[in-house]
């Protein structure tokens, strides 16, 4: 069954690649038809992607929350779902696919570099706090990614408007109005901030129950905290200081760097407890140190 | 962080004293923003410079060996331990102080002053609002507006302005207190963290099946005692037989029964698993690793030399090893390996299991001489057999599982967890009840169109249009207008 997962993974990767081309092409040429086609193709990719997630769940016999392959698979899926939910509510946001889909592609592309073998369901992973932590991490990733997409759409539309009045029916004209883009970005950041808080809290509790420290100033924890503070800054700038416009949108876009570092960039550095390949050995029967094995 | 509104009288900071100015700076948004940026800087430094606390002793030694000049300079600057450095902790402490001052400021200034109405009569009068004709009289329109606002749990007000009626609806009271609670929760977390830092202790405890150990400084390994108070003590722990479930020769479930003994009686206990520690008197015992322990009796020419319990903690390719020293300097090594022979004598490779019926114990000795021999155990892993090694008779007396536990005591943990969830709940309230105000201006149309009036809407929300959109649509429907009739109306956020 895992072979089917791998096949569907690659199918969705390829189809999303095509959708990305259509979205970006549509954005560059300002052709609405290409964007619509991008939505259909992305929808087809989502069907394959959903099947991949479901089959992985069945094949692993547990919710796919373990290690980078599963996290890339499901995080990208959550991002596409968030994008479709948003465009279902605000159809004029479809061109934001030109910003969201490359992101999905990168996430899946990272997953493609990881072994798709089903990892052992080690004791360290058997915790409801891990499931809570990871599910909220997916939601955080998806929400912030789409918020960044909306923020970038606002920046581009504002620039286009500064160059002169938008022609009726033009690409930028078809995007939602600036206030709506601002409101949607803000709402997404609010939701992301909330689920990010749950992610951090549940992760801290899991960490304590697993290795006896709820906060270790681990690089992943630090980036996670910094990201949360950055989005907290965004909220304060909007709600307390009253910032609006592109400078606030830039913060929504740039704060995504923190999200990226927390989720993927951190794998580049060796000094973190969050490298999942080490976790599976905790509590094993046998040898010395914190990472024994059988 | 609260932004000070001009003219606000400050309860927290009376007068224009130095203290007031200091608190002003501490509670300012600008300071918080700078501190977050500085924190980000430290995190980046911590990412780029190898942190010896995470590398572990062996890796840290390799790092120092590979780049001695760099390692020395980083150590001199304290950059190889950023997250425990005074400057990092000072930044965090300053940020926590800023949040505390800001929260106290916000709470003491009170809801009334922070929540001055967005929509004042002057503000409305300056607007040239577009009036939409409706087929209901002014009093009826006012009643409809009141009903819509009340149904949305908005606080309703009504006043007359220059021949027109104005009905207002305002909400967000809970949101304000949600914000205060959220910031207070951050303070609770900070308090919990400080208490935890002062009272936390950490150690390891190795136990053997069937044995009872008094928990205390003499039995805890690598203990780091708390700065305030004493570490865990005053009770004993007894370890029962571990339960292991295997699937394809791999353990899939390991449970170690631990009983807490006080005054000679069992007072509590639990099956300890990874992720499910035993909790007693604020101390957690987390299962870390397990293995085999061998009780070895050593004698020379029939005279007992030693009788020790050796925990086999050294992982080898084919099993687990351990050693013990004798008074004459001889070191005896024990290695438990699986029986590699099938009943037909065919060699095979497989991992050693804790209750392995076919395990061998290899015994070797170093020191005055080195000779190796093997003992064929009987029973589960071989008990009661003797071999001669370097002139020593070594007998396996007993083989039992051992388990090692991380012993953690963090005093402020319940406070921290309460702070975590209070923050999450407060965020839900904060953003679930945004501050918003709507004002409907109703102008009677006296002549020509009896019973009709004209209405205009002014809405304001810190959440933008989305904060009031539902109320706007409901109002439009109630007045017989298109649901989006007010969508493009003048609004002030």
């Amino acid at each position: 069954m895992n072979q089917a997962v791998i096949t569907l993974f690659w199918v969705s990767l390829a189809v999303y690649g095509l959708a990305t081309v259509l979205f970006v092409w549509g954005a560059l040429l300002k052709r609405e038809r290409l964007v619509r086609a991008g939505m259909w193709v992305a929808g087809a990719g989502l069907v394959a992607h959903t099947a991949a997630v479901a089959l992985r769940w069945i094949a692993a016999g547990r919710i796919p929350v373990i290690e980078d392959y599963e996290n890339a698979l499901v995080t990208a899926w959550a991002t596409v779902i968030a994008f479709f939910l948003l465009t279902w509510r605000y159809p004029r946001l479809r061109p934001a696919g030109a910003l969201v889909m490359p992101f999905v592609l990168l996430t899946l592309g990272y997953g493609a570099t990881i072994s798709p073998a089903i990892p052992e369901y080690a004791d360290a992973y058997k915790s409801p706090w891990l499931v809570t932590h990871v599910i909220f991490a997916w939601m955080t990733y998806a929400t912030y990614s789409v918020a960044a997409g909306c923020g970038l759409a606002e920046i581009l539309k504002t620039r286009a408007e500064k160059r002169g009045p938008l022609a009726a029916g033009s690409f930028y004209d078809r995007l939602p109005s600036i206030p709506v883009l601002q409101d949607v970005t803000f709402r997404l950041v609010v939701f992301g901030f909330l689920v990010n808080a749950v992610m951090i809290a549940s992760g801290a509790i899991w960490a304590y129950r697993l290795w006896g420290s709820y906060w270790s100033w681990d690089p992943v924890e630090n980036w996670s905290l910094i990201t949360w503070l950055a989005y907290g800054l965004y909220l304060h700038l909007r709600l307390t200081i009253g910032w609006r416009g592109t400078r606030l949108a830039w913060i929504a876009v740039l704060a995504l760097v923190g999200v990226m570092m927390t989720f993927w960039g951190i794998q580049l550095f060796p000094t973190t407890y969050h490298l999942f390949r080490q976790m599976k050995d905790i509590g094993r029967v046998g040898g010395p140190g914190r990472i024994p094995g059988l | 962080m609260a932004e000070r509104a001009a003219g606000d009288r400050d309860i927290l900071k009376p007068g224009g004293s130095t203290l007031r100015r200091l608190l002003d700076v501490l509670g300012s948004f600008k300071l918080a923003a700078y501190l977050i940026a500085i924190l980000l800087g430290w995190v980046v430094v911590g990412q780029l410079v190898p942190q010896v606390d995470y590398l572990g002793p062996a890796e840290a030694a390799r790092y120092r060996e590979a780049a001695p000049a760099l390692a020395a300079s980083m150590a001199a600057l304290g950059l190889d331990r950023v997250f425990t450095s005074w400057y990092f902790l000072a930044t965090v402490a300053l940020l926590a102080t800023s949040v505390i001052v800001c929260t106290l400021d916000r709470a003491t200034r009170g809801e009334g002053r922070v929540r001055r109405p967005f929509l004042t009569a002057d503000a409305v009068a300056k607007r040239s609002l577009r009036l939409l004709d409706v087929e209901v009289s002014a009093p009826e329109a006012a009643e409809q507006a009141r009903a819509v606002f009340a149904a949305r749990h908005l606080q309703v007000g009504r006043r007359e302005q220059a021949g027109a009626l104005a009905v207002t609806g305002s909400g967000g009271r809970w949101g304000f207190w949600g914000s205060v609670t959220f910031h207070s929760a951050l303070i609770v977390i900070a308090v919990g963290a400080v208490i935890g830092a002062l009272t936390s202790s950490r150690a390891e405890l190795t136990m053997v099946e069937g044995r009872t150990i008094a928990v205390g400084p003499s039995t805890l390994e690598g203990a780091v005692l708390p700065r305030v108070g004493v570490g865990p003590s005053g009770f004993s722990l007894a370890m029962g037989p571990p339960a292991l479930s295997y699937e394809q020769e791999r353990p899939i479930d390991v449970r170690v029964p631990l009983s807490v003994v006080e005054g000679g009686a069992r007072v509590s206990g639990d099956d300890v698993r990874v992720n499910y520690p035993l909790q007693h008197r604020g101390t957690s015992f987390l299962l870390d690793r397990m293995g085999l322990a061998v009780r070895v009796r050593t004698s020379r020419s029939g005279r007992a030399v030693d009788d020790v319990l050796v925990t086999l903690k050294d992982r080898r390719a084919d099993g687990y090893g351990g050693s013990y020293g004798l008074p004459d300097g001889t070191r005896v090594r024990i290695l438990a390996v699986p029986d590699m022979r099938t009943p037909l004598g065919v060699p095979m490779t497989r991992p050693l299991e804790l209750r392995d019926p076919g395990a061998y114990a290899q015994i070797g000795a170093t020191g005055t001489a080195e000779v190796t021999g093997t003992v064929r155990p009987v029973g589960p892993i071989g008990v009661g057999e003797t071999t001669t090694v370097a002139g020593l008779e070594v007998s396996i007396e007993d083989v039992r599982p051992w388990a090692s536990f991380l012993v953690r005591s963090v005093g402020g943990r319940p406070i921290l967890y309460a702070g975590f969830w209070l923050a999450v709940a407060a965020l839900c309230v904060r953003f679930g009840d945004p501050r918003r105000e709507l004002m409907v201006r109703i102008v009677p149309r006296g002549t020509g169109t009896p019973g009709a009036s004209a209405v205009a809407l002014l809405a304001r929300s810190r959440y933008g249009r989305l904060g009031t959109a539902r109320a706007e649509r409901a109002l439009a429907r109630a007045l017989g207008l298109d649901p989006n009739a007010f969508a493009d109306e003048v609004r002030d956020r």
Side-chain angles (χ1 to χ4, degrees):
Chain A
M1 192 179 288
N2 200 42
Q3 194 51 48
V5 175
I6 297 164
T7 307
L8 286 166
F9 178 95
W10 283 102
V11 167
S12 36
L13 187 66
V15 176
Y16 286 149
L18 181 60
T20 305
V21 170
L22 289 169
F23 276 121
V24 173
W25 199 8
L28 292 175
L29 301 179
K30 302 179 179 57
R31 297 255 173 89
E32 177 68 17
R33 231 169 56 184
L34 289 173
V35 172
R36 271 206 305 274
M39 287 301 292
W40 280 105
V41 174
L46 182 61
V47 171
H49 199 166
T50 306
V53 172
L55 288 178
R56 179 71 172 197
W57 191 325
I58 294 166
R62 50 162 175 77
I63 184 168
V65 294
I66 292 173
E67 298 191 6
D68 287 355
Y69 182 79
E70 290 181 0
N71 280 318
L73 178 73
V74 186
T75 305
W77 179 78
T79 308
V80 181
I81 290 284
F83 174 64
F84 270 87
L85 283 176
L86 194 72
T87 51
W88 173 64
R89 177 72 181 80
Y90 302 99
R92 295 175 72 181
L93 270 172
R94 284 172 186 159
L99 314 158
V100 175
M101 290 314 291
F103 212 69
V104 170
L105 211 57
L106 279 175
T107 308
L108 276 184
Y110 174 74
T113 66
I114 310 290
S115 163
I118 295 174
E120 187 194 340
Y121 194 29
D123 275 355
Y125 298 135
K126 293 174 188 166
S127 168
W129 288 112
L130 167 68
V131 176
T132 310
H133 176 62
V134 176
I135 287 175
F136 278 87
W138 298 336
M139 289 160 74
T140 305
Y141 187 92
T143 310
Y144 284 155
S145 306
V146 179
C150 291
L152 205 51
E154 183 196 335
I155 292 165
L156 295 175
K157 180 155 182 163
T158 306
R159 284 188 179 178
E161 282 183 349
K162 277 184 184 164
R163 285 196 293 268
L166 300 177
S170 69
F171 179 79
Y172 287 121
D173 185 54
R174 284 173 186 272
L175 280 173
S177 66
I178 299 286
V180 169
L181 282 172
Q182 287 175 345
D183 290 348
V184 172
T185 309
F186 170 70
R187 285 227 153 179
L188 286 168
V189 170
V190 165
F191 184 71
F193 190 70
L194 178 62
V195 293
N196 196 349
V198 178
M199 179 192 89
I200 292 173
S202 55
I205 294 172
W206 178 47
Y208 182 81
R209 296 176 71 87
L210 183 60
W211 58 64
S213 171
Y214 53 80
W215 194 264
S216 310
W217 294 111
D218 171 277
V220 171
E221 292 169 353
N222 291 329
W223 275 108
S224 170
L225 178 65
I226 287 292
T227 304
W228 195 63
L229 289 175
Y231 283 102
L233 195 70
Y234 173 98
L235 293 175
H236 278 91
L237 286 171
R238 166 144 180 162
L239 294 174
T240 309
I241 307 292
W243 274 25
R244 294 287 187 281
T246 49
R247 56 182 180 170
L248 196 63
W250 270 117
I251 292 180
V253 173
L254 292 176
L256 198 66
V257 174
V259 180
M260 292 294 97
M261 285 304 293
T262 309
F263 279 80
W264 312 121
I266 215 69
Q267 305 290 338
L268 304 172
F269 301 96
T271 54
T272 170
Y273 290 138
H274 274 78
L275 288 178
F276 295 107
R277 57 183 169 269
Q278 294 175 351
M279 276 194 200
K280 61 184 167 194
D281 289 327
I282 293 173
R284 281 282 183 75
V285 178
R290 297 208 65 252
I291 308 170
L294 187 66
Chain B
M1 310 303 140
E3 179 73 353
R4 197 155 317 288
D8 269 359
R9 190 170 67 84
D10 210 317
I11 291 173
L12 187 71
K13 304 157 197 162
S17 63
T18 310
L19 177 66
R20 173 180 173 151
R21 284 198 296 277
L22 178 67
L23 291 174
D24 236 352
V25 171
L26 275 176
S28 76
F29 179 80
K30 200 181 270 186
L31 177 71
Y34 282 133
L35 289 172
I36 292 172
I38 293 169
L39 214 53
L40 175 64
W42 290 133
V43 169
V44 171
V45 169
Q47 207 83 80
L48 297 176
V49 179
Q51 299 297 298
V52 291
D53 291 338
Y54 297 113
L55 288 176
E59 277 293 318
R62 265 198 290 277
Y63 155 63
R64 288 190 191 103
E65 199 177 327
L70 179 73
S73 54
M74 291 297 122
L77 294 169
L79 294 180
D80 60 350
R81 281 193 168 91
V82 166
F83 302 116
T84 49
S85 66
W86 68 266
Y87 37 82
F88 181 80
L89 296 176
T91 313
V92 173
L94 206 52
L95 185 60
T97 310
S98 177
V99 173
I100 290 170
V101 172
C102 169
T103 305
L104 290 176
D105 183 26
R106 182 174 286 210
T108 52
R109 275 194 291 151
E111 186 187 10
R113 256 171 293 179
V114 173
R115 315 193 70 60
R116 285 172 305 176
F118 283 144
L119 302 174
T120 61
D122 286 350
V124 176
K126 285 177 190 166
R127 306 267 176 203
S128 52
L129 300 175
R130 186 164 62 96
L131 288 164
L132 302 171
D133 289 328
V134 292
E135 294 302 317
V136 292
S137 66
E140 279 178 279
E143 176 52 27
Q144 294 282 14
R146 189 204 64 76
V148 166
F149 292 161
R152 306 215 150 261
H153 307 291
L154 298 173
Q155 202 170 5
V156 182
R158 182 181 159 139
R159 59 178 178 266
E160 292 201 14
Q161 284 180 330
L165 274 175
V167 180
T168 58
S170 59
R173 176 187 293 263
W174 285 105
F176 166 76
W177 287 109
S179 173
V180 171
T181 309
F182 171 72
H183 287 82
S184 304
L186 296 182
I187 297 171
V188 170
I189 292 171
V191 169
V194 170
I195 293 173
L198 293 175
T199 62
S200 68
S201 66
R202 51 195 300 139
E204 285 191 37
L205 178 66
T206 302
M207 298 194 66
V208 177
E209 179 191 304
R211 297 245 171 139
T212 301
I213 283 186
V215 176
S218 59
T219 51
L220 295 173
E221 304 156 35
V224 178
L225 296 174
R227 292 182 179 92
V228 177
V230 293
S233 62
F235 60 94
S236 301
L237 286 180
M239 178 176 150
L244 291 101
S245 310
Y246 287 91
E247 195 175 272
Q248 294 175 341
E249 298 185 345
R250 300 188 76 89
I252 55 163
D253 188 29
V254 180
R255 291 162 192 259
V256 181
L258 276 188
S259 300
V260 180
V261 179
E262 284 185 7
R266 183 184 186 277
V267 291
S268 66
D270 209 347
D271 278 357
V272 180
R273 290 181 285 154
V274 173
N275 277 315
Y276 296 89
L278 171 75
Q279 312 274 359
H280 185 67
R281 287 193 194 174
T283 302
S284 308
F285 295 87
L286 300 96
L287 180 61
D288 188 31
R289 55 190 189 269
M290 286 183 69
L292 294 170
V294 182
R295 189 169 156 223
V296 188
R297 182 187 295 273
T298 318
S299 37
R300 180 170 279 135
S301 308
R303 216 174 49 198
V305 178
D306 207 351
D307 186 355
V308 292
L309 189 70
V310 185
T311 50
L312 307 181
K313 290 187 175 182
D314 302 330
R315 186 185 176 193
R316 304 276 292 260
D318 50 354
Y320 310 110
S323 64
Y324 64 99
L326 296 175
D328 65 358
T330 305
R331 190 140 203 97
V332 180
R333 291 184 284 111
I334 311 278
L335 175 64
V337 294
D339 183 354
M340 295 301 198
R341 291 174 308 177
T342 64
L344 296 173
V346 179
M348 55 181 255
T349 304
R350 64 182 178 80
L352 177 68
E353 293 182 359
L354 197 63
R355 297 282 191 196
D356 198 324
Y360 281 84
Q362 290 183 341
I363 299 178
T366 57
T368 52
E370 179 165 342
V371 187
T372 56
T374 54
V375 176
R376 173 65 208 248
V378 293
I381 195 169
V383 177
E385 291 194 9
T386 305
T387 190
T388 303
V389 182
L392 298 167
E393 295 99 46
V394 181
S395 312
I396 302 287
E397 298 289 310
D398 194 6
V399 177
R400 292 180 184 196
W402 62 267
S404 174
F405 300 89
L406 302 177
V407 184
R408 299 288 185 265
S409 179
V410 182
R413 197 156 50 93
I415 299 172
L416 261 171
Y417 289 177
F420 281 156
W421 297 117
L422 187 64
V424 171
L427 275 178
C428 293
V429 176
R430 169 74 180 90
F431 294 112
D433 184 31
R435 188 183 176 194
R436 60 210 182 276
E437 281 182 33
L438 297 104
M439 178 183 279
V440 189
R441 192 154 185 258
I442 305 162
V443 181
R445 299 289 201 205
T447 56
T449 52
S453 56
V455 297
L457 181 77
L458 184 64
R460 180 174 170 169
S461 165
R462 277 276 165 83
Y463 287 26
R465 191 183 148 197
L466 298 169
T468 56
R470 284 184 185 173
E472 289 170 34
R473 280 198 295 272
L475 181 66
R477 273 195 296 267
L479 295 172
L481 296 168
D482 181 86
N484 294 316
F486 296 121
D488 297 322
E489 285 304 291
V490 174
R491 67 192 64 250
D492 180 7
R493 294 172 193 152

